[in-house]
Amino acid sequence: MSAHVLVINAGSSSLKYSLVEAASGEAAASGLVERIGEERSHHVHSGPKGEYDDERPIANHEAALEAAVQAFETQGPALADVDIVAVGHRVVHGGDRFAAPALVDDELIAAVTDLVPLAPLHNPANLEGIEVARRLLPDLPHVAVFDTAFHQTLPPYAYTYAVPSEWLASYGIRRYGFHGTSHSFVSEQAAKLLGRDPSEVNVIVLHLGNGCSAAAIRGGRSVDTSMGLTPLEGLVMGTRSGDLDPAIHGHLARVAGWSAEETDRALNSESGLKGITGANDFREVSRRRAAGDEQAQLGFDIYCHRIKKYIGAYYAVLGTVDAIVFTAGVGQHSSEVRAAALHNLTALGIHLDLDRNANPAQSKGFVSTDDSPVAVLVIPTNEEWQIARQAVAVIRAS
Ligand code: AMP
């Protein structure tokens, strides 16, 4: 039987899991427990024997994983019947300690714990997921796959902020970048679609989901990316502002008396598309825009303008570009965003084919014209598969 990996993504009140065949990426089953710790936790599981969908109290992550194991028994496949070679854990922040996925041991847990100040919302939940899974599945190797690791190849001039240099040594202040698992996956797929080795191609990846980030990838290595110390910097997102003048924090403290936490919260949870249009879900923004809502139009324009600026910047960083790749919910599904972000870029050799753009699947994801010097590709991301592949590579090397 072929090797499978149980991929776990633990959030503060959720646990997402998927049993993935490492070679093909096929998910034998997947599920999600949401609202952990609330009275009406929600658990969905989809397996070969059917769907499970239930609401009941699930007190903590341990109970959530127990519920998942139980759902594997009832909806299949029973975990004992599958050749599971590893548990792969998504970990958001690996700091500059982790440039690659790593086997979980006590030392790794201590290192990820040390990184909590850099990702106070994410790393504690990821750690909770690891600890619970190690307790319930003690005979399997566990591998941590870091969202930041792919961007550890950034050169110092791309990751260093122009601030007093002791801030890096004292507080770890630098660009780390996120969505690395997605950027590495789709850039590899792009090279495959172009029929070339990843080491030969330069790619700009636009991961446009609830969170959004751009990356400049030269020969398979990330050389710049839009998210920074935290996932707040860069593109406009569902609820996050992306780039802004860093003086805004101080200005709001002086004129509105806001604390650092209040401004942080507003920039992370009340800004982006939500702040401008009132809706963070891109489909809702599109509906309102189609109905003539001016704020929705403004939000759309800001969102696409920011993407275009990053394409220009990363084009200049890379020098030559073989492909621009759109991925994640908005990137994969919004032909309007792709068309607006790439409008008027023919001088850069970027020629969008509007018919293909309307239906990327019909042209294997190619949405540029046949003679476009830069290919434009729509590639579904698959972070679970990438985590599974990386977990297998780690255990084979260990
Ligand atoms: P993700 O984080 O990759 O799941 O992406 C979530 C974002 O993708 C949300 O803003 C959704 O509104 C958006 N999205 C999902 N499907 C579509 C679609 N068909 N058209 C436009 N946006 C979509």
Side-chain angles (χ1 to χ4, degrees), residues 207-211 280-284 286 328-330 333-334 381:
H207 176 110
L208 309 176
N210 283 320
N280 63 296
D281 189 298
F282 199 86
R283 284 164 292 198
E284 179 58 23
S286 290
V330 179
H333 298 295
S334 177
T381 193

Side-chain angles (χ1 to χ4, degrees), residues 254-268:
R254 286 186 297 275
V255 301
W258 285 17
S259 68
E261 284 69 27
E262 282 172 312
T263 307
D264 252 9
R265 214 196 122 267
L267 293 176
N268 276 291

Side-chain angles (χ1 to χ4, degrees), residues 93 117-120 161 174-178 226-234 237 240 268:
H93 219 307
L118 286 174
Y161 291 117
R174 51 159 284 178
R175 177 180 310 286
Y176 294 98
F178 298 87
S226 59
M227 285 179 165
L229 174 80
T230 75
L232 183 59
E233 193 180 349
M237 316 184 204
R240 284 176 243 160
N268 276 291

Side-chain angles (χ1 to χ4, degrees), residues 232-244:
L232 183 59
E233 193 180 349
L235 300 177
V236 176
M237 316 184 204
T239 63
R240 284 176 243 160
S241 61
D243 293 337
L244 35 76

Side-chain angles (χ1 to χ4, degrees), residues 170-183:
S170 303
Y171 306 114
I173 289 179
R174 51 159 284 178
R175 177 180 310 286
Y176 294 98
F178 298 87
H179 290 148
T181 306
S182 176
H183 286 297

Side-chain angles (χ1 to χ4, degrees), residues 154-379:
L154 259 60
Y157 55 79
Y159 72 67
T160 308
Y161 291 117
V163 294
S165 51
E166 63 269 19
W167 290 14
L168 174 55
S170 303
Y171 306 114
I173 289 179
R174 51 159 284 178
R175 177 180 310 286
Y176 294 98
F178 298 87
H179 290 148
T181 306
S182 176
H183 286 297
S184 68
F185 178 79
V186 296
S187 57
E188 282 172 33
Q189 296 297 311
K192 250 187 220 154
L193 282 174
L194 296 173
R196 294 169 67 186
D197 192 81
S199 66
E200 294 172 354
V201 295
N202 290 353
V203 185
I204 296 172
V205 176
L206 300 156
H207 176 110
L208 309 176
N210 283 320
C212 301
S213 67
I217 299 165
R218 176 181 290 130
R221 292 160 68 85
S222 177
V223 293
D224 208 348
T225 192
S226 59
M227 285 179 165
L229 174 80
T230 75
L232 183 59
E233 193 180 349
L235 300 177
V236 176
M237 316 184 204
T239 63
R240 284 176 243 160
S241 61
D243 293 337
L244 35 76
D245 184 338
I248 288 174
H249 256 92
H251 183 74
L252 282 171
R254 286 186 297 275
V255 301
W258 285 17
S259 68
E261 284 69 27
E262 282 172 312
T263 307
D264 252 9
R265 214 196 122 267
L267 293 176
N268 276 291
S269 311
E270 303 297 334
S271 300
L273 289 171
K274 184 178 179 194
I276 299 157
T277 71
N280 63 296
D281 189 298
F282 199 86
R283 284 164 292 198
E284 179 58 23
V285 176
S286 290
R287 271 192 288 276
R288 294 184 189 186
R289 179 173 165 253
D293 181 325
E294 283 179 17
Q295 284 304 111
Q297 181 64 48
L298 178 63
F300 177 88
D301 291 342
I302 299 170
Y303 185 93
C304 296
H305 177 66
R306 187 79 54 86
I307 296 169
K308 179 177 278 196
K309 288 210 303 194
Y310 270 92
I311 291 171
Y314 288 173
Y315 205 120
V317 165
L318 290 170
T320 59
V321 175
D322 298 289
I324 296 175
V325 185
F326 287 84
T327 193
V330 179
Q332 285 163 222
H333 298 295
S334 177
S335 56
E336 296 167 320
V337 165
R338 296 191 296 266
L342 299 179
H343 181 64
N344 233 352
L345 296 184
T346 50
L348 297 181
I350 302 166
H351 298 260
L352 194 67
D353 180 313
L354 294 178
D355 290 334
R356 288 178 178 177
N357 187 42
N359 198 348
Q362 286 197 342
S363 46
K364 297 194 176 124
F366 280 84
V367 296
S368 42
T369 60
D370 285 335
D371 58 0
S372 179
V374 177
V376 182
L377 302 169
V378 176
I379 301 179

Side-chain angles (χ1 to χ4, degrees), residues 91-94 111-113 115-116 119-128 146:
V91 180
V92 167
H93 219 307
V112 175
T113 306
L115 292 165
V116 165
L121 298 178
H122 295 106
N123 272 25
N126 301 155
L127 279 166
E128 174 84 20
F146 300 91

